[in-house]
Amino acid sequence: MNIAKAPLLLAPSTFLSLAMAGEITPYSQTRFDQLSVEGKPVLLDVQASWCPTCKAQEPIIRDLMGQSAYTDVTTLTIDFDADKPLLKKYKVGMQSTLIAFKGTKEVGRSVGDTTKSGIEGLIKKAAN
């Protein structure tokens, strides 16, 4: 059997966790505007591929977005090197910046935090 053409088989528990996961996707202004108008919680994750702090934040954010408490939170990733106009728009001076929004209002931000409790606290500001 050609493994490349084999169907992807996932356990039922995988589908359940995917259905309960908060979305993580690249930033688009349309998506941000849609979520804001709907009053949804959003986490902007400003990252750079070369940044060790960003690499440390990534599994924490992914883990938190997989928890049922944060299914309504959408994480939009912003590339620090490629999205300079967005950095200016959101007043971001460095990579590893996380900005929490509830609807159209910024409710918190952090720079360089790699603790689960700190990142979760920021996400909770948007989710509650």
Side-chain angles (χ1 to χ4, degrees):
M1 177 198 301
N2 183 342
I3 291 179
K5 293 183 180 180
L8 178 62
L9 300 176
L10 299 173
S13 61
T14 303
F15 289 113
L16 183 59
S17 66
L18 290 173
M20 296 183 353
E23 181 183 6
I24 301 173
T25 187
Y27 181 95
S28 88
Q29 189 64 55
T30 303
R31 184 74 174 128
F32 180 80
D33 292 344
Q34 175 191 16
L35 293 165
S36 296
V37 168
E38 293 173 0
K40 300 286 186 178
V42 175
L43 179 69
L44 298 183
D45 176 9
V46 181
Q47 52 186 247
S49 61
W50 47 264
C51 170
T53 303
C54 303
K55 285 182 183 9
Q57 290 174 329
E58 184 180 357
I60 296 168
I61 294 169
R62 197 164 298 286
D63 176 58
L64 291 168
M65 291 298 99
Q67 296 180 14
S68 61
Y70 306 117
T71 58
D72 288 340
V73 179
T74 299
T75 300
L76 300 176
T77 59
I78 297 174
D79 185 314
F80 181 78
D81 295 317
D83 298 326
K84 295 299 183 185
L86 291 175
L87 302 183
K88 185 174 181 178
K89 176 178 182 170
Y90 293 110
K91 299 178 177 77
V92 173
M94 66 184 299
Q95 73 285 354
S96 74
T97 299
L98 302 172
I99 309 170
F101 284 85
K102 185 164 185 107
T104 59
K105 182 178 180 196
E106 181 180 328
V107 293
R109 78 170 49 208
S110 70
V111 178
D113 189 351
T114 58
T115 66
K116 184 174 181 177
S117 62
I119 294 171
E120 185 170 23
L122 181 65
I123 293 170
K124 281 182 178 179
K125 289 180 182 181
N128 296 329

